[in-house]
């Protein structure tokens, strides 16, 4: 990265709720679920726990935060089959308070939810006293940002009032249609009498207030919806008579009903919030180079990447940034091959290959998750959708069987589903991403070399344990976590998926399926990398539904005349084409063949004053689309980019803003066909496109090394102990894998040096930031500032 940047991400564990108020009826139990929201924008939803007042969720949610926000909120809803789900209560944590609860299990009291208290966004006001003949004051209401989207759209207007003793005047702006970033640019005049005394203008009443309320214009019988308001005393004008500022919208003063704190129950959460401060690339070069050399270090246990896995508390926290870093630089295959080869050589029983949670298994899991998401969509999504739609019972446990169900019928339903899924998996090898195939080939070769005297099936055990046990089976069990379904399936369908997943795991373990046909099918996952083709075009012989969703799109301007307005459309993506329809089930209004997608990129908000927009660039025009939230926009960009990755005519540059009023807003070029002014999102070969910032991943790895510095020192001591005494390992050092003490000590010394250098960079940045924010600080405040510098900016 060329500039410094602060990037935030959060991981939330929604544990359980307790003491939920009973349902006001004969059946006291509730069917509850929990949502995770950035302000009011839902980004995650848990499964529904039926018939419980103390629901246990036990779900983890990881989200990279793509925008500024004020509150991280959690809402508990009661599902209602016949009408809209009702909210029970909420937990809202301010952004600045997240670090208080970082990494801690905390019980939060649920707070009441009311429409008048649920506000977000901000408004810009300009107030001015104008010396005119009528001695009137001028109030200019300019624009708003970040209003909520209500029922897919927002039609806001503002009511501006001047309030005070014995006076109340109100005026309204025009309604701005279908936008949550309206720009009003309207001026309102209110008469404010003033008199001059000793060269000072004094308001006749210092208790005048300006109130601005934002409303969503609604055609419903319930009236317009309150979006938030702000109350500004006119004394802010001061002697200058001018005030210009942004204000966060606030709820109504009487918005919350009087509810006792313990009446709504409580929610247990574990929130991990991290802010990464990323420096320019050259600051990370020593550490990045050291990490990228890991595959060439002999032995690999002495490499920087392997050492990170040794000192981290959990292998997973080391694997995530390592995999992303090596993927970014195109070196993931040699790195994983090196650590896998070392682990296989330490394995005594071929039946236990990669059965533990080692650094190798975690790295391969993470690689499959990143590189294989589209592969899962193409392979499993159609049949998973069918299972969730048909609701066929597959229960084969006689104890759990319902009276109306037949055991033989259920067993046949389960057998058919398993047969179809197993066949789909074993025939999908030609569509497996190349990077995964190359890793699987390396695993097979290492296993074959290590266990030459065993039956040939052991050479495939290493591969099948990942494909079936760690890739397909978890996706079948929890399709919502792998973007195969938008939400958790219902309990009956969830039970069906559990039975299918367990059966697939059994088949994949090769314990009961060692047929020649099965072993031959695994060879499609492990071709020789010298002959590995790019993403095979054979999948185009079949039409596979990948995604469906309602979104808002702007007219493409194919007609010379007519308004280029925004309309809500039903979007459908297959491996052949991207289409949109007026409603679900109707014929397509527009078809874009996948081979015509030249690029898929974000669109800057300034183009249409709308958030969560992206563009699908075609040879003659671009289709501008607004997703329902920031996470959904990211998902659509990711999947559209992946399905079009192999297009030969993909662009290398694009315009980040729209072409409006005869020119491109980004580069001001007047020709609509002018080449792009910004490089397209960089990516990798091997048929995957990942938006990865290598500097950011190095920053995360630095943070881990810094956090576990005491273990690095202890590992250095262990190297010295083994070098000097060459005897039985001391018990306190036995947790480390050290094959070559001298080489490991050399690498540790380089790691410590690189981390200490970055420590100084961070301390300098924090001190600079504090001084800028306290430019008027007195000299006696310096000790407190230095105490602040001593704190870590990055939380891991």
């Amino acid at each position: 990265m060329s500039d410094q940047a602060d990037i935030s991400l959060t991981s939330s564990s929604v544990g359980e709720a307790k003491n939920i108020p009973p349902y006001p009826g004969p059946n006291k139990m509730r069917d509850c679920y929990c949502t995770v929201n950035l302000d009011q924008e839902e980004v995650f939803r848990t499964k529904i726990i039926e018939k419980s007042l103390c629901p246990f969720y036990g779900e983890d949610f990881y989200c990279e935060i793509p925008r500024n926000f004020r509150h991280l909120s959690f809402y508990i809803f009661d599902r209602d089959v016949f009408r809209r789900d009702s909210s029970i209560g909420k937990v809202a944590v301010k952004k600045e308070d997240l670090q208080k609860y970082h990494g801690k299990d905390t019980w939060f009291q649920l707070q009441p939810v009311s429409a008048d208290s649920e506000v977000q966004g901000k408004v810009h006001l300009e107030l001015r006293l104008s010396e005119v003949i009528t001695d009137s004051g001028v109030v200019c209401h300019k624009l708003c940002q970040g209003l909520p989207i209500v029922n897919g759209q927002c039609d806001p207007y503002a009511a501006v009032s001047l309030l005070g003793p014995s006076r109340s005047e109100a005026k309204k702006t025009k309604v701005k249609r279908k936008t949550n970033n309206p720009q009003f640019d309207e001026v309102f005049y209110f008469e404010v009498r003033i008199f001059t005394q000793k060269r000072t203008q004094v308001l006749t009443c210092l208790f005048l207030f300006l109130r601005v309320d934002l409303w969503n214009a609604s055609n419903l019988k319930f009236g317009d919806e309150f979006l938030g308001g702000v109350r500004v005393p006119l004394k802010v004008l001061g002697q200058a008579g001018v005030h210009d500022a942004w204000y966060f919208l606030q709820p109504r003063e009487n918005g919350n009903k009087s509810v006792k704190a313990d009446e709504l129950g409580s929610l247990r959460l574990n929130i991990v919030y991290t802010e990464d401060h990323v420096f320019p690339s050259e600051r990370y070069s020593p550490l990045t180079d050291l990490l990228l050399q890991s595959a060439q270090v002999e032995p690999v246990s002495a490499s920087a990447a392997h050492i990170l896995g040794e000192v981290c508390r959990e292998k997973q926290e080391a694997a995530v940034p390592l995999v992303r870093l090596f993927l970014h630089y195109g070196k993931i295959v040699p790195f994983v091959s090196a650590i896998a080869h070392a682990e296989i050589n330490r394995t005594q029983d071929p039946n236990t290959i990669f059965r533990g949670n080692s650094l190798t298994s975690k790295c391969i899991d993470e690689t499959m998750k990143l590189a294989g998401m589209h592969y899962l969509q193409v392979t499993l999504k159609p049949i998973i959708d069918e299972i969730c739609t048909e609701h066929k019972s597959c229960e084969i446990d006689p104890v759990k069987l319902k009276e109306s169900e037949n055991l033989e019928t259920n067993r046949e339903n389960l057998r058919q589903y398993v047969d179809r899924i197993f066949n789909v998996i074993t025939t999908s090898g030609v569509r497996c991403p190349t990077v995964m195939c190359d890793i699987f080939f390396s695993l097979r070769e290492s296993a074959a070399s290590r266990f030459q005297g065993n039956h040939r099936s052991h050479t495939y055990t290493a591969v099948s344990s990942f494909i079936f046990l760690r890739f397909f089976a978890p996706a079948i069990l929890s399709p919502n976590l792998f973007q195969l379904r938008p939400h958790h399936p219902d309990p009956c369908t969830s039970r069906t998926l559990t039975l299918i997943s367990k059966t697939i795991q059994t088949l994949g373990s090769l314990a009961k399926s060692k047929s020649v046909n099965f072993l031959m099918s695994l060879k499609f996952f492990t071709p020789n990398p010298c002959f590995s083709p790019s993403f095979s075009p054979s999948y185009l012989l079949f039409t596979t539904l990948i995604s469906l969703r309602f979104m808002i799109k702007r007219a493409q301007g194919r007609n010379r005349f007519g308004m280029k307005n925004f309309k809500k459309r039903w979007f459908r993506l297959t491996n052949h084409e991207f289409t949109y329809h007026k409603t679900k089930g109707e014929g397509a209004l527009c078809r874009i063949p996948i081979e015509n997608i030249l690029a898929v990129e974000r669109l800057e908000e300034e183009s249409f004053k709308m958030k969560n927009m992206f563009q699908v660039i075609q040879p003659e025009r671009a289709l501008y689309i607004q997703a329902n939230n920031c996470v959904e926009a990211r998902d659509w960009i990711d999947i559209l980019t992946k399905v079009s990755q192999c297009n030969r005519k993909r662009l290398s540059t694009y315009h980040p803003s729209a072409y409006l009023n005869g020119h491109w807003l980004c580069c001001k070029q007047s020709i609509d066909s002018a080449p792009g002014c910004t490089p397209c999102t960089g990516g990798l070969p091997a048929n995957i496109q990942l938006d990865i910032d290598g500097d950011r991943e190095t920053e995360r790895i630095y943070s881990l090394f810094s956090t576990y510095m005491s273990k690095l020192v202890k590992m250095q001591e262990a190297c010295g102990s083994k070098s000097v005494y060459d005897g039985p390992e001391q018990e306190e050092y036995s947790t480390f894998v050290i094959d070559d003490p001298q080489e490991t000590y050399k690498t540790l010394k380089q790691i410590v040096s690189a981390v200490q250098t970055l420590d100084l960079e961070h301390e300098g940045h924090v001190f600079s930031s504090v001084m800028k924010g306290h430019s008027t600080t007195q000299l006696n405040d310096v000790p407190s500032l230095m105490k602040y510098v001593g704190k870590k900016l990055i939380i891991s």
Side-chain angles (χ1 to χ4, degrees):
M1 295 181 64
S2 58
D3 299 314
Q4 296 175 351
D6 288 300
I7 307 172
S8 304
L9 55 90
T10 183
S11 172
S12 303
S13 176
V14 183
E16 57 184 315
K18 65 181 180 181
N19 301 328
I20 299 295
Y23 188 80
N27 180 12
K28 304 295 185 181
M29 297 294 103
R30 292 182 183 267
D31 300 337
C32 297
Y33 63 90
C34 180
T35 67
V36 182
N37 298 54
L38 293 176
D39 294 325
Q40 283 183 278
E41 183 179 9
E42 181 182 323
V43 294
F44 177 70
R45 180 180 298 191
T46 69
K47 60 180 175 290
I48 297 173
I49 304 299
E50 296 183 321
K51 300 178 181 179
S52 174
L53 299 181
C54 296
F56 178 82
Y57 299 104
E59 294 192 41
D60 295 330
F61 170 68
Y62 172 89
C63 175
E64 183 174 312
I65 301 174
R67 63 172 178 83
N68 290 324
F69 67 100
R70 296 168 63 190
H71 295 89
L72 180 66
S73 304
F74 303 82
Y75 291 79
I76 298 291
F77 285 90
D78 182 20
R79 182 186 63 173
D80 194 318
V81 178
F82 302 104
R83 57 189 177 86
R84 188 175 180 182
D85 296 352
S86 58
S87 57
I88 298 174
K90 71 173 182 179
V91 172
V93 184
K94 293 181 179 179
K95 180 181 178 181
E96 55 268 27
D97 293 338
L98 285 173
Q99 294 185 8
K100 296 179 183 178
Y101 309 105
H102 175 78
K104 303 174 183 176
D105 266 345
T106 307
W107 281 98
F108 293 88
Q109 201 70 42
L110 289 173
Q111 302 299 318
V113 178
S114 68
D116 289 343
S117 69
E118 297 298 288
V119 301
Q120 67 183 58
K122 54 187 178 179
V123 61
H124 183 244
L125 298 175
E126 182 180 328
L127 312 180
R128 186 183 306 114
L129 280 175
S130 179
E131 294 183 4
V132 294
I133 298 175
T134 58
D135 288 337
S136 61
V138 179
V139 180
C140 176
H141 180 94
K142 295 189 72 176
L143 53 93
C144 302
Q145 283 188 354
L147 300 179
I149 297 176
V150 182
N151 294 326
Q153 65 181 40
C154 186
D155 299 329
Y157 70 89
V160 184
S161 306
L162 187 64
L163 305 176
S166 69
R167 71 177 295 171
S168 177
E169 304 173 52
K171 300 178 182 180
K172 293 182 180 180
T173 67
K174 295 178 181 178
V175 176
K176 298 293 181 179
R177 298 291 179 184
K178 298 181 181 180
T179 176
N180 64 337
N181 294 298
Q183 184 160 347
F184 297 108
D185 283 328
E186 295 192 36
V187 178
F188 299 109
Y189 295 87
F190 295 93
E191 184 177 350
V192 179
R193 297 186 180 278
I194 61 174
F195 66 90
T196 303
Q197 181 179 12
K198 295 182 180 180
R199 300 181 181 180
T200 303
Q201 290 185 339
V202 180
L203 297 177
T204 54
C205 181
L206 295 178
F207 299 101
L208 290 177
F209 288 87
L210 180 75
R211 191 177 75 192
V212 180
D213 292 332
L214 273 295
W215 298 83
N216 178 46
S218 173
N219 295 323
L220 302 176
K221 62 180 180 180
F222 301 107
D224 296 345
E225 297 172 272
F226 180 72
L227 300 178
V230 63
R231 186 181 172 100
V232 182
L234 288 194
K235 63 183 180 181
V236 299
L237 289 166
Q239 295 185 13
V242 176
H243 182 67
D244 187 344
W246 282 94
Y247 288 90
F248 282 114
L249 294 174
Q250 302 296 327
R252 290 183 181 179
E253 294 179 355
N254 60 348
N256 287 326
K257 298 179 181 179
S258 177
V259 178
K260 293 182 180 179
D262 58 348
E263 288 185 355
L264 298 178
S266 52
L267 180 66
R268 182 170 64 86
L269 302 170
N270 188 313
I271 303 172
V272 177
Y273 178 73
T274 305
E275 291 185 356
D276 293 335
H277 183 85
V278 184
F279 290 109
S281 300
E282 59 270 14
R283 311 281 182 91
Y284 296 107
S285 293
L287 184 57
T288 302
D289 293 343
L290 189 62
L291 290 163
L292 295 178
Q293 294 168 4
S294 296
Q296 287 76 44
V297 174
E298 290 289 347
V300 72
S301 60
S303 67
H306 194 278
I307 289 173
L308 180 66
E310 290 297 296
V311 299
C312 283
R313 182 179 56 188
E314 302 289 342
K315 302 296 184 184
Q316 179 70 16
E317 61 181 337
V320 172
L322 283 175
V323 167
R324 296 175 69 86
L325 179 72
F326 281 97
L327 274 172
H328 175 71
Y329 287 100
K331 297 186 176 182
I332 187 64
V333 175
F335 168 65
V336 171
S337 299
I339 60 175
H341 183 74
E343 181 172 339
I344 289 174
N345 284 340
R346 287 193 292 267
T347 303
Q348 301 302 318
D349 184 354
N351 294 308
T352 62
I353 295 179
F354 301 128
R355 287 298 191 265
N357 290 322
S358 63
L359 179 64
T360 304
S361 61
K362 291 298 182 182
C363 283
I364 297 177
D365 286 348
E366 188 66 22
T367 302
M368 293 191 300
K369 186 185 298 181
L370 291 172
M373 192 62 71
H374 172 57
Y375 172 45
L376 277 178
Q377 295 271 340
V378 172
T379 306
L380 286 185
K381 184 172 174 55
I383 190 169
I384 294 293
D385 286 340
E386 186 177 328
I387 293 171
C388 293
T389 302
E390 291 180 343
H391 299 291
K392 289 183 179 180
S393 178
C394 296
E395 184 56 69
I396 55 175
D397 185 346
V399 177
K400 297 181 179 180
L401 207 64
K402 296 179 181 178
E403 293 183 2
S404 59
E405 295 177 350
N406 181 277
L407 181 60
E408 290 303 319
T409 302
N410 290 0
R411 184 180 287 114
E412 179 61 20
N413 291 339
L414 179 61
R415 187 193 64 79
Q416 290 181 5
Y417 281 146
V418 170
D419 283 348
R420 289 177 58 190
I421 288 181
F422 189 74
N423 183 64
V424 165
I425 293 173
T426 55
T427 58
S428 69
V430 292
R431 299 194 297 273
C432 185
T434 307
V435 66
M436 290 173 59
C437 289
D438 290 347
I439 289 175
F440 294 153
F441 174 81
S442 175
L443 299 183
R444 191 189 73 181
E445 293 299 294
S446 295
S449 175
R450 174 71 175 87
F451 303 106
Q452 295 179 4
N454 290 275
H455 190 273
R456 63 174 181 171
S457 64
H458 288 306
T459 63
Y460 292 99
T461 302
V463 179
S464 66
S465 64
F466 284 104
I467 294 176
F468 290 92
L469 275 64
R470 295 176 175 267
F471 187 58
F472 284 111
I476 296 168
L477 182 65
S478 303
N480 58 295
L481 300 181
F482 291 83
Q483 302 174 21
L484 299 177
R485 296 289 295 176
H487 301 299
H488 284 275
D490 60 83
C492 180
T493 304
S494 181
R495 173 62 176 167
T496 297
L497 294 175
T498 300
L499 293 171
I500 295 173
S501 178
K502 288 182 176 179
T503 309
I504 291 297
Q505 288 185 36
T506 303
L507 293 174
S509 67
L510 292 178
K512 303 198 176 181
S513 180
K514 298 185 178 180
S515 67
V516 175
N517 291 335
F518 178 75
L519 293 176
M520 290 299 293
S521 69
L522 281 177
K523 290 187 176 181
F524 284 105
F525 294 97
T526 58
N528 189 316
C530 298
F531 303 101
S532 290
S534 61
F535 203 66
S536 173
S538 60
Y539 82 104
L540 293 175
L541 297 174
F542 309 96
T543 298
T544 305
L545 183 63
I546 298 174
S547 189
L548 293 167
R549 195 64 59 93
F550 269 114
M551 293 188 292
I552 296 173
K553 68 96 184 176
R554 183 177 186 261
Q556 300 182 73
R558 288 175 291 180
N559 297 326
R560 189 167 185 177
F561 301 101
M563 294 181 61
K564 297 181 182 179
N565 53 357
F566 288 85
K567 293 184 179 180
K568 192 173 184 180
R569 292 289 182 257
W570 176 256
F571 285 83
R572 184 175 187 269
L573 174 64
T574 71
N575 57 321
H576 284 291
E577 60 184 5
F578 183 49
T579 62
Y580 60 79
H581 313 247
K582 189 172 184 179
T583 59
K584 184 178 180 180
E586 286 193 3
L589 298 176
C590 176
R591 298 179 183 275
I592 303 175
I594 294 300
E595 58 267 24
N596 283 359
I597 298 179
L598 306 184
V600 184
E601 300 286 350
R602 293 189 180 275
L603 187 70
E604 293 181 351
E605 291 181 22
E606 290 74 13
S607 297
F608 300 106
K609 307 299 181 184
M610 297 169 67
K611 293 180 178 293
N612 307 323
M613 291 202 71
F614 63 96
Q615 52 183 318
V616 180
I617 304 172
Q618 307 164 67
E620 297 180 356
R621 63 185 65 87
L623 174 60
Y624 300 130
I625 303 173
Q626 182 187 35
N628 295 302
N629 57 60
C630 55
V631 175
E632 183 180 301
R634 188 182 186 92
D635 291 343
W636 272 101
I637 293 172
D638 183 59
I639 193 66
L640 283 168
T641 300
K642 287 175 180 175
V643 298
S644 61
Q645 178 62 31
C646 295
N647 292 350
R648 296 179 180 178
K649 297 182 180 180
R650 282 186 61 85
L651 298 177
S652 58
T653 59
Y654 77 105
H655 293 282
S657 293
Y659 183 81
L660 295 173
N661 301 322
H663 67 276
W664 292 100
L665 298 182
C666 45
C667 58
K668 309 304 179 185
Q669 295 187 74
S670 58
I671 303 174
D672 60 351
S673 59
C677 57
T678 303
C680 286
T681 304
L684 293 170
N687 51 61
I688 57 173
Q689 173 79 21
L690 299 172
D691 184 13
I692 295 177
D693 184 343
D695 297 335
R696 181 181 180 185
E697 303 310 321
T698 307
E699 169 65 32
R700 291 177 180 174
I701 293 172
Y702 148 75
S703 178
L704 289 171
F705 275 135
S706 182
T707 301
Y708 296 109
M709 180 58 72
S710 60
K711 284 194 173 182
L712 289 174
V713 174
K714 195 171 183 179
M715 199 171 183
Q716 283 181 313
E717 295 173 356
C719 290
S721 174
K722 291 193 69 173
S723 297
V724 174
Y725 297 106
D726 194 25
E729 286 187 1
Q730 296 183 32
E731 186 176 348
E732 59 178 319
Y733 300 144
S734 61
T735 57
F736 301 123
V737 175
I738 302 175
D739 297 318
D740 187 328
Q742 292 184 346
E743 191 67 28
T744 304
Y745 186 87
K746 177 183 174 182
T747 304
L748 284 165
K749 188 175 180 180
Q750 292 175 295
I751 293 172
V752 171
S753 175
V755 170
Q756 289 175 344
T757 301
L758 285 170
D759 278 339
L760 294 175
E761 295 280 0
H762 277 278
E763 290 175 3
H765 166 72
V766 173
F767 184 76
S768 175
S769 299
V770 172
M771 294 305 294
K772 286 180 181 179
H774 298 76
S775 57
T776 58
T777 303
Q778 301 297 322
L779 288 177
N780 56 8
D781 289 330
V782 171
S784 64
L785 294 180
M786 294 305 294
K787 182 179 178 182
Y788 176 81
V789 170
K791 297 179 181 179
K792 279 293 176 189
L793 177 67
I794 297 176
I795 303 174
S796 298

